[in-house]
């Protein structure tokens, strides 16, 4: 197994756990945790193919940022 694959899985699991169970319930911290998970996903894909890794990272980051910024702009309270 490649070191990128192992590190990617660790970062991906940590980012998913931090997003699902945040200590702070504000939107900025959730956005940061989603970016951590996206970085882990990029490292997993990097172990297989560099082009897929770059495209996946850009797509996940762009979509997650757009969605979470819209939620922040609405100003709905986060439970």
């Amino acid at each position: 197994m490649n070191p990128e694959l192992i590190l990617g899985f660790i970062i991906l699991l940590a980012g998913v756990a931090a997003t699902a169970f945040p200590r702070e319930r504000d939107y900025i911290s959730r956005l940061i945790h989603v970016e951590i998970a996206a970085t882990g996903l990029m490292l997993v894909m990097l172990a297989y193919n560099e082009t897929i890794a770059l495209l996946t990272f850009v797509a996940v980051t762009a979509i997650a940022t757009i969605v979470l910024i819209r939620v922040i702009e609405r100003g709905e309270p986060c439970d």
Side-chain angles (χ1 to χ4, degrees):
M1 293 182 83
N2 295 343
E4 296 94 6
L5 184 66
I6 296 169
L7 183 63
F9 280 136
I10 292 169
I11 292 174
L12 181 63
L13 290 175
V16 168
T19 304
F21 306 107
R23 279 191 250 162
E24 301 171 2
R25 297 210 173 251
D26 60 340
Y27 293 109
I28 299 301
S29 66
R30 286 188 180 181
L31 180 64
I32 291 170
H33 295 313
V34 167
E35 297 297 326
I36 292 170
T39 305
L41 181 62
M42 182 198 62
L43 286 173
V44 169
M45 293 302 219
L46 185 62
Y48 294 106
N49 190 346
E50 293 178 7
T51 305
I52 292 175
L54 182 61
L55 292 175
T56 304
F57 182 71
V58 169
V60 168
T61 302
I63 291 170
T65 303
I66 289 169
V67 168
L68 289 176
I69 293 298
R70 283 195 167 196
V71 170
I72 291 169
E73 287 178 352
R74 283 188 181 174
E76 295 178 1
C78 183
D79 294 346

